[in-house]
Amino acid sequence: MRITIGYTVESIGYVVGAQGLVTFASQTFFGTEWGWMPKVVDLPSTAYLGIVAVGLALIAGGVRTRKTPRRQKVA
């Protein structure tokens, strides 16, 4: 179960981080809005860097959850 949760959190992190990065780049360099993130929230372009950071945190948390070794019971 822990492995499944780790992969799920990591996958959500990739999507959120990518959308934040694409939206930041499109608003900053092209003056348009790409992706689905601007349709959900209306933020200034620098706030999307915070969303990228949230995505990276989710990725790190998912990897850490997935790689945590199981404790063995000592009898």
Side-chain angles (χ1 to χ4, degrees):
M1 185 69 162
R2 179 180 291 170
I3 293 172
T4 303
I5 292 171
Y7 278 119
T8 303
V9 170
E10 186 179 354
S11 299
I12 292 169
Y14 282 120
V15 172
V16 169
Q19 285 296 316
L21 185 64
V22 165
T23 305
F24 170 75
S26 68
Q27 283 185 352
T28 303
F29 300 116
F30 302 106
T32 60
E33 294 181 342
W34 298 339
W36 56 265
M37 191 73 71
K39 295 177 176 144
V40 178
V41 292
D42 185 26
L43 299 172
S45 61
T46 54
Y48 287 106
L49 289 178
I51 292 176
V52 172
V54 169
L56 291 174
L58 287 172
I59 292 169
V63 169
R64 181 178 294 151
T65 301
R66 195 166 31 105
K67 289 189 175 182
T68 302
R70 293 183 177 233
R71 293 181 143 187
Q72 296 179 356
K73 294 181 180 179
V74 178

